[in-house]
Amino acid sequence: MIEPSKSSNQPAVGISGRKIVYDEDGKPCRSCNTLLDFQLATGKVSSASSLPTTKKSDSNTASYAKVDPPDVEQLGRSSWNLLHSIAASYPKIPTTTQKGEMKQFMTIFSHVYPCTWCAKDFEKFVHDNAPRVDSREELSKWMCEAHNDVNRKLGKQTFDCNLWEKRWKDGWD
Amino acid sequence: MIEPSKSSNQPAVGISGRKIVYDEDGKPCRSCNTLLDFQLATGKVSSASSLPTTKKSDSNTASYAKVDPPDVEQLGRSSWNLLHSIAASYPKIPTTTQKGEMKQFMTIFSHVYPCTWCAKDFEKFVHDNAPRVDSREELSKWMCEAHNDVNRKLGKQTFDCNLWEKRWKDGWD
């Protein structure tokens, strides 16, 4: 694991009770911390104002047991969440091994994705547009273009790929 | 793409206007269809009662532009959605290539997952419990055990792995 490089005035432990994880540049890592812990580390909330409320464990239990499998749209949203986050946490200067693994990951992803027609479309995109794995920025923009390719096919609004860092790494404020 | 094998009384086109995708056993594929199309194909709704309402495209646009990156919990839910769905759509009798790719996928996943401490835990799980890739059922139960390993670490309720097919493939009714 990357050793946290927080500055001295940032909290070490979050409201969740877990150690807060910081990126190599000293920023708290969104994908490693709960939203509340992240907000604590960025000074958006204080620990006193954000104590968690009591969990309704009975209703949680009942709903957990009967949740249906995701449909194509839920699965799509989940998968883009993961893929863009993977790209946003990819090294700025990846090793040869990391570059090779990322290419393999995208190829295998296009073989195992559960929605068969989506998988075929993604496989074709990967074939026609080789994943750009030379840096975090390159990969994040490639992923954004892959997503926009799907957005266009579905008649959805495309995203400005220059904003990838706000949407998938740093947030908007 | 797998050629649909629907029975003659099942609809070919869904409420979305897209062709409905059926699995090799004739059941409509949840991860390939929208929930409404899936419900149409299973007789839960009729096309007349389920016309989509007008899209609020303006509010969609605004919310799309300012969504923050997922925190560790959103990312976790998204990733389990994808991983369990991948397992539930894995072949019942995979080829040697498919087995090899699935093992590689799990290993690379444990290297690229954005939450660094979660990734290390998953890497250790994969090391200590080699992915069981010999069939859909084996892989789905292995995935369920991986998820339960995390549930236990987080003090969450574990899931009965014998119910994987209801939770991640067929649904509860």
Side-chain angles (χ1 to χ4, degrees), chain A:
Chain A
M1 194 194 304
I2 297 161
E3 197 54 32
S5 61
K6 69 184 188 70
S7 69
S8 56
N9 58 350
Q10 288 179 306
V13 176
I15 292 157
S16 70
R18 289 190 217 152
K19 197 167 149 182
I20 294 178
V21 182
Y22 294 85
D23 285 338
E24 73 276 13
D25 55 7
K27 290 183 196 171
C29 164
R30 265 189 199 263
S31 357
C32 310
N33 300 295
T34 66
L35 183 59
L36 264 183
D37 287 355
F38 177 84
Q39 289 173 330
L40 181 76
T42 51
K44 293 283 186 331
V45 299
S46 68
S47 55
S49 65
S50 310
L51 291 174
T53 52
T54 312
K55 274 188 188 175
K56 293 175 189 168
S57 59
D58 283 352
S59 64
N60 276 349
T61 305
S63 68
Y64 185 77
K66 295 283 184 186
V67 180
D68 275 331
D71 74 348
V72 69
E73 291 179 343
Q74 288 176 285
L75 187 65
R77 282 191 294 273
S78 291
S79 304
W80 287 121
N81 265 348
L82 174 65
L83 290 176
H84 287 292
S85 299
I86 284 177
S89 70
Y90 186 66
K92 289 178 182 172
I93 306 171
T95 63
T96 308
T97 304
Q98 286 169 323
K99 291 181 195 179
E101 285 202 334
M102 188 52 68
K103 277 187 198 167
Q104 268 190 300
F105 187 79
M106 293 305 153
T107 301
I108 302 177
F109 188 92
S110 78
H111 297 166
V112 300
Y113 191 67
C115 164
T116 45
W117 59 271
C118 316
K120 285 288 166 201
D121 279 355
F122 189 66
E123 190 177 19
K124 184 175 185 320
F125 185 87
V126 170
H127 179 265
D128 296 346
N129 306 269
R132 298 198 302 272
V133 296
D134 282 344
S135 71
R136 175 184 298 171
E137 171 136 15
E138 283 291 299
L139 185 64
S140 295
K141 288 188 170 173
W142 178 86
M143 196 67 79
C144 178
E145 289 163 22
H147 196 161
N148 277 343
D149 187 62
V150 175
N151 284 333
R152 273 187 290 271
K153 281 178 187 158
L154 300 178
K156 291 187 179 176
Q157 186 197 17
T158 56
F159 188 77
D160 178 352
C161 292
N162 292 312
L163 301 177
W164 72 267
E165 204 160 13
K166 285 186 190 293
R167 176 65 183 89
W168 296 109
K169 191 171 185 306
D170 291 341
W172 295 87
D173 57 2

